[in-house]
Amino acid sequence: PRPSASIVPAARPKAQALNFVVVLADDLGWGELGSYGQKLIRTPRLDALAAEGLRFTDAYAAAPVCAPSRCSLLTGLHSGHATVRENPRAGGRSALTERDFTFAEALRARGYRTGLMGKWGFGPEEPDQPSHPNSRGFEQFYGYLTHRHAHQYYPDHLWENGTRQEIPENRDGAREVYAPDLIQQRSLDFIDAHKDEPFLLYLAPTVPHAPSRAPDLGPYADEPWTHADKAHAAQVSSLDTLVGRVVDRLTDHGLAGRTLVLVTSDNGPHEEGGTDPDLFDGNGPLRGYKRNLYEGGIRVPLIAWSRGRVPSGTTDRPTPLIDLLPTLAELAGAPVPSDIDGLSAAPLLRGRADTAPAPRHDHLYFHRNHSGVTPRADAVDGGRARQLAEAVRRGDWKAVRFAPGQDRRVPDDRWQVELYDLARDPGEQDDLAAARPKEADALVRLMRESWAETYDRRPFGVTLHVSREDGRFLVTATLANGSSRPWTAARLDLRAPDRWQVRALDPLIADRVPAGGRLAVRWTVTPAAEAGRGWLTCRGTATHAGAAVTYAAQAVAE
């Protein structure tokens, strides 16, 4: 059998290290929380966190639809570099790969316990493959593996790590067990289990994504709205209740001042299943909805809270969610790949913005290639919702351009370009492209420069290669320092099944591995006489900025 996917690090950070809870709502619009101007839907717990913590006014999802947005959030790469750049469709890329390094892997290297409860959103629906959460740094996973499975609020199964867990009460269309309730309980259980050690909880509920289904309409039951709108409002309020219960559990364990809670969304508000985002003013003063590259489709709420730690107030720093990986890593003392696009916002969360301001992006890039259309989003796009589009924000200038179809290789003069001044026109009503051609052309150049058909990554962490030679195996492992700072005290170790013989052909230790450098070690491995195959595990350890880090890889020898 394969050994546990959880490799225990050589050293753990102190129990007083900062914990992290990242809550990613599904299709929650910028204007759907009271702290962002919502008038009809009640969100008292989230509004309290926003009042006590830091509210971001200019936070951005990386894409206007789910899968590419979540891939970028996890990996710190914008949608011109990320592996997944569109929602699943024939011929598209809808799975992560072994080269994708997530914020969970960054914190796992520092000894954090890592859990994902809710929606993963990447295929295939199989265990033991590179796109599975367990392979991308999450040692505990409970929820939906694939994008489409997560559309079901009453599914007949969910996944727990690599095991499919049946929910017989929901078979044959029955609706007895509401999946968000299961996800909530697993999240609280995770906090209970790891309250005495550093942890990362990535909580990704499916609310308020369509269909608008809720077991209880609560205070909205008697409103003169459609059932879909009542249920949508109940879904948003259930998100509020969920976050409130998580905060209460942290408080019960004395962790409220040692846990950073981040709450955000993967894109703008939806209009699916009969839900009317205009009833709730779900995009606030912004133009557009889910699927649009105008502000309403990509600007999202972001609240950062940690009692007595994160300063209260607001920030207008343009902050894309690709900043999550480097931010969490810096706060945890973990290295990150130097080729990511995100920048750390940790100084903002430490309250040291005046003395050590968080770095700002030169520009933000967004890509959209999506075949699905909804009426409001298509109307906002002027009937161009099926056309490939991209956008760039630089300072207060924002450009959006549309290709004539879905081929981005067409010449620039066939694209339609729009230009907006967000400082004066946050609702993007006044197109200045004709009046300010130099500014428009400069942003178009940034769009071209931001897109890479194939984004080659620098090696980071441990890789393992196995080949068979005359009844034994030649194993080669590499510990690659793809960060921007040198590592010291680097070491590689190989574990094989009992009674297998392992002999190193190269030194296991390097006093120093420079940025961009690597430690490579070869072994010969002789299996036991009766063994046909077995799992090999390689662990690489090093010291980064005085902190121990551990990376691991597994391969089968057969």
Side-chain angles (χ1 to χ4, degrees), residues 76 317-328 330 340-347 358-364:
R317 173 188 185 264
T319 303
L321 297 184
I322 62 174
D323 289 354
L324 188 61
L325 190 160
T327 300
L328 299 186
E330 180 177 339
I340 62 172
D341 300 306
L343 298 175
S344 175
R360 287 181 172 243
H361 292 266
D362 174 76
H363 64 279
L364 308 181

Side-chain angles (χ1 to χ4, degrees), residues 503-556:
R503 183 169 68 90
L505 303 178
D506 301 299
L508 304 178
I509 299 172
D511 293 336
R512 186 177 186 274
V513 179
R518 64 187 69 187
L519 168 64
V521 178
R522 296 167 301 152
W523 293 266
T524 58
V525 177
T526 304
E530 70 280 8
R533 68 195 301 269
W535 283 98
L536 303 176
T537 299
C538 184
R539 187 176 72 173
T541 58
T543 300
H544 160 81
V549 291
T550 302
Y551 304 96
Q554 296 176 322
V556 66

Side-chain angles (χ1 to χ4, degrees), residues 11-21 106-113 194-201 250 253-261 306 309 328-334 350 547-548:
R12 290 191 179 278
K14 296 179 180 179
Q16 291 75 27
L18 187 62
N19 304 311
F20 302 99
V21 176
L107 269 62
R108 190 78 192 104
R110 286 285 294 124
Y112 275 70
R113 309 310 297 257
H194 301 299
K195 64 182 185 299
D196 297 322
E197 51 192 336
F199 65 80
L200 160 70
L201 170 61
L250 294 171
H253 291 312
L255 300 176
R258 288 199 289 112
T259 304
L260 173 63
V261 178
S306 181
R309 181 184 296 265
L328 299 186
E330 180 177 339
L331 294 171
R350 292 182 176 130

Side-chain angles (χ1 to χ4, degrees), residues 163-180:
T163 303
R164 175 176 162 139
Q165 299 282 352
E166 302 297 329
I167 307 176
E169 297 89 344
N170 290 346
R171 287 177 183 162
D172 302 321
R175 299 179 183 175
E176 296 187 30
V177 178
Y178 192 56

Side-chain angles (χ1 to χ4, degrees), residues 131-430:
S131 188
H132 192 281
N134 292 157
S135 300
R136 301 272 61 84
F138 293 100
E139 58 176 333
Q140 295 183 45
F141 164 64
Y142 181 78
Y144 304 89
L145 271 179
T146 65
H147 173 84
R148 297 198 181 280
H149 185 208
H151 294 175
Q152 302 176 28
Y153 281 100
Y154 294 91
D156 63 7
H157 72 280
L158 291 173
W159 285 82
E160 183 168 14
N161 296 322
T163 303
R164 175 176 162 139
Q165 299 282 352
E166 302 297 329
I167 307 176
E169 297 89 344
N170 290 346
R171 287 177 183 162
D172 302 321
R175 299 179 183 175
E176 296 187 30
V177 178
Y178 192 56
D181 292 340
L182 300 177
I183 291 164
Q184 173 180 273
Q185 188 57 53
R186 290 300 185 100
S187 300
L188 299 177
D189 291 346
F190 180 85
I191 294 172
D192 291 343
H194 301 299
K195 64 182 185 299
D196 297 322
E197 51 192 336
F199 65 80
L200 160 70
L201 170 61
Y202 175 35
L203 175 51
T206 53
V207 291
H209 193 287
S212 296
R213 288 181 180 163
D216 182 359
L217 298 179
Y220 312 107
D222 296 328
E223 294 288 352
W225 308 336
T226 66
H227 180 83
D229 287 334
K230 294 177 185 179
H232 178 80
Q235 288 177 322
V236 175
S237 287
S238 74
L239 170 70
D240 185 76
T241 299
L242 168 60
V243 175
R245 288 177 177 165
V246 167
V247 170
D248 289 343
R249 189 61 56 92
L250 294 171
T251 302
D252 291 344
H253 291 312
L255 300 176
R258 288 199 289 112
T259 304
L260 173 63
V261 178
L262 298 169
V263 183
T264 189
S265 175
D266 61 351
N267 49 247
H270 75 82
E271 54 172 319
E272 297 155 347
T275 300
D276 180 3
D278 296 332
L279 170 67
F280 303 110
D281 200 15
N283 51 10
L286 308 175
R287 175 185 180 182
Y289 311 89
K290 175 183 178 180
R291 297 180 175 83
N292 296 129
L293 285 181
Y294 299 111
E295 295 289 285
I298 52 178
R299 197 186 296 195
V300 291
L302 173 60
I303 299 168
W305 177 88
S306 181
R307 185 169 294 153
R309 181 184 296 265
V310 172
S312 61
T314 62
T315 176
D316 62 358
R317 173 188 185 264
T319 303
L321 297 184
I322 62 174
D323 289 354
L324 188 61
L325 190 160
T327 300
L328 299 186
E330 180 177 339
L331 294 171
V336 297
S338 60
D339 58 359
I340 62 172
D341 300 306
L343 298 175
S344 175
L348 284 174
L349 305 180
R350 292 182 176 130
R352 302 174 186 169
D354 292 336
T355 58
R360 287 181 172 243
H361 292 266
D362 174 76
H363 64 279
L364 308 181
Y365 173 80
F366 308 92
H367 165 79
R368 194 268 322 265
N369 191 10
H370 186 69
S371 58
V373 173
T374 52
R376 289 177 180 83
D378 195 35
V380 165
D381 271 349
R384 300 171 294 184
R386 285 192 174 92
Q387 295 170 216
L388 186 147
E390 56 186 355
V392 157
R393 174 176 175 173
R394 186 177 197 178
D396 290 324
W397 287 111
K398 165 92 175 288
V400 182
R401 72 170 184 164
F402 298 84
Q406 293 186 340
D407 184 359
R408 67 172 303 107
R409 296 170 296 181
V410 298
D412 286 345
D413 59 7
R414 295 186 60 194
W415 295 66
Q416 296 173 313
V417 181
E418 300 170 6
L419 178 70
Y420 301 97
D421 178 1
L422 296 179
R424 186 183 61 82
D425 178 26
E428 296 170 289
Q429 298 300 311
D430 186 9

